[in-house]
Amino acid sequence: MAERVRVVVMQAGLGPLDYAVPAGMVLAPGQAVRVPLGPRMITGVVWDGLAGPEVALAKLRPVAGVLPVLPIAAPLRRLCDFVADYYLAPLAGVVRMVLPQVALLGERQLSEFRLSGVMPGRMTPERAKAIAALEGRTGTVRDLGRAAGVSEAVVRGLVSAGVLVGEVRGAADGLAVPDADFAVPVLEAAQAAAADAVVGAIAAGGFAPFLLEGVTGSGKTEVYAEGIAAAIRAGGQALVLLPEIALTAAFMTRLEARFGAAPLVWHSDLGTAARRTAFAAIADGRAPLVVGARSALFLPFRRLLLTVVDEAHEQSFKQEEGVHYHARDVAVMRAQFEGACAVLATATPAIETQVLVSRGTYRHLLLPARFGGASLPDVQAIDMRRTPPPRGRWLAPPLVEAMRETLARGEQALLFLNRRGYAPLTLCRACGERIQCPNCTAWMVEHRLGRRLACHHCGHEMAVPEACPSCGEADTLVACGPGVERIAEEVTRLFPDARLALVTSDSITTPARAEALVKAVTAGEIDVLVGTQLVTKGFHFPDLTLVGVVDADLGLGGGDLRAGERTFAQVVQVSGRAGRGEKPGRVLIQTHQPEARLMRALVAGDAKAFYAAETATRRDLGLPPFGRLAALIVSSEDEGAARTAARALGEAAPHRAGLEVLGPAPAPLAMLRGRHRMRLLVMAGRQVPLAAILRDWLARVPVAGNVRVVVDVDPYSFV
Ligand code: ADP
Ligand code: ZN
């Protein structure tokens, strides 16, 4: 029996610590425990496979007690190790994401217990009697004591030995159980072939990653739903990750129609009670189908057989706070550790994903056509230099004309501009002052609906000033450039009778509002939709036949290596909203560079050519996935401290073949939330052990206490 254990303690800045195991206590890896730290008791998790010197046993303090929650299983522990190692995150920070909330709250929160399957290290006749009597029972300490005919002290002893674990009260009682055979669709040939591959892989068992590529409207959901059905039939569980979980009522309804029961939804805004219920149902397998946001990746599934990443190209799967992981990649790793299938579903696979297919790492499943013979929309570019809109307007004459025709036919139009608010910049006509956020290197965005200026980086808000804050002149401030609110205003001016809906995170703030919108559009109560990227997601409106992309050039500036790819995916996605019913769709793209490769590919519907050229450029420049990147963001409220630390890191930068360090340089977003920011960018060959080099580098450079260094491995943000 182990005399000592290594424990990952939930304490910022502390690595794993060793503790002695008191006599009679059995500790399995993954078990949550209470351990002494100085004068306090803190929570930790017994961990395995951690290297490091050992302190003499006699000097170790003992583990104080076991928390009555199920241990974290080995595949999830290995996922934590991987994430901590790959993304250079403290293991404790990763373990915290998987630790049951009850463990973080402490055992006081638990009132009912049941057998865990763990046997006590010290068996007594009373304990044996209790264990025999409590099989299949759940209850309070008092209930269980009575039922077993032992004292409450014996029951409590079994709780602290991990023999009895906390049962979350009312957990998922009455949870509807999805039925794999509830409403099985008839698949088209390509769908059936793809579904068979996934179902076959689940039946065979073991890790199998797939890219499920299909144009918008090709019925990818129906394909992976067969995978879900196979997982359910096998007595296992499936997880579907979505990039945006708040506004997905339509998607949930579809899954419910397929399985006869709504999936269990997991996201970070769940209330404590719902969270506990969900957690328990996932841990004991009563929830076979979970739909969730990124954080669902770290749930303690009992038997995970399939992970699906829908809209897998979405860059919002990259977590930009705390542990900077990419949920798409971690979903595949989770499947690997669990020996499960992984399906990445998208119409526009990321170049990273395409390259993994070409290397043979992922199997490729392709749905080449829209379901039911619907045609893809006709795409045309509008040259904004040749047919510009009138001064102070943003919709070019050909787009306005197309809208007129569409509305005259009683059909619907959608205008897409990925910019919230009314105007991105407010300028003083007299002195040229631009109104900036006091905390960020960013302009304040006017929100006319809310009558305020807002910073989209830190959330700072202010009233729209009456006079210029710089020169004091009254009535000199003018709004520059359009946001969706301004486009909506223009539509109202052009088509006063059109019924208009604004679709942004400012207007669609709750699932109920999203549902109401979908209903109104489907019922033909809306003529024109104006929206940000929220409108690109998953909607299916048969009478929507015209899509206008207001500014296709918008996302292309700046030093983001994926800007072109992102624009391409976004336009394809929003175009995919057009012509999904019987009526053919039409897409008009406003651009100042219709001759650019990207625009030509969009017009020709030639994704292959676009990706081939982008991929070749990445290969030539050694950019991901042909090389690797890591960003170091050094920030402090004290500008000098940030500079000093960044310089010290730059001077201590590793020198070796296949690795180059750029910077330090002030970040494009030089100030964010009041912190001054410097960046360094590491470019490395694929064979270079990047994580180890970064870890060694950071360990060599101590930084001041008021400086934060954030490591962003495989960065998606370059600001
Ligand atoms: P994608 O996710 O690939 O864009 P969807 O899964 O939204 O496409 O499918 C497009 C439409 O076709 C949806 O309304 C869906 O219900 C329908 N559909 C797809 N496959 C089938 C099928 N086999 N039987 C019936 N309807 C289907
Ligand atoms: Zn700000």
Side-chain angles (χ1 to χ4, degrees), residues 644-666:
T644 306
R647 205 179 309 121
L649 278 165
E651 279 159 11
H655 291 282
R656 59 175 285 166
L659 184 136
E660 193 182 352
V661 178
L662 309 176

Side-chain angles (χ1 to χ4, degrees), residues 437-442 444 455-460 672-673:
C437 174
N439 313 316
C440 307
T441 317
M444 296 295 288
C455 171
H456 286 182
H457 294 286
C458 73
H460 177 79
L672 177 63
R673 296 189 186 95

Side-chain angles (χ1 to χ4, degrees), residues 185-187 191 215-222 254 371 540 580:
V186 180
L187 298 181
Q191 285 181 312
V215 296
T216 54
S218 57
K220 295 183 287 293
T221 315
E222 274 71 17
R254 257 175 93 182
F371 174 74
H540 182 73
R580 291 172 73 95

Side-chain angles (χ1 to χ4, degrees), residues 184-188 191 212-224 251 254 310-311 345-347 367 369-372 538-540 573 576-577 580:
V184 183
V186 180
L187 298 181
E188 290 187 338
Q191 285 181 312
L212 173 59
E213 179 179 1
V215 296
T216 54
S218 57
K220 295 183 287 293
T221 315
E222 274 71 17
V223 170
Y224 68 68
F251 179 80
R254 257 175 93 182
D310 203 352
E311 310 294 1
T346 169
L367 306 181
R370 275 192 162 177
F371 174 74
F539 293 120
H540 182 73
Q573 208 66 31
R577 300 313 108 205
R580 291 172 73 95

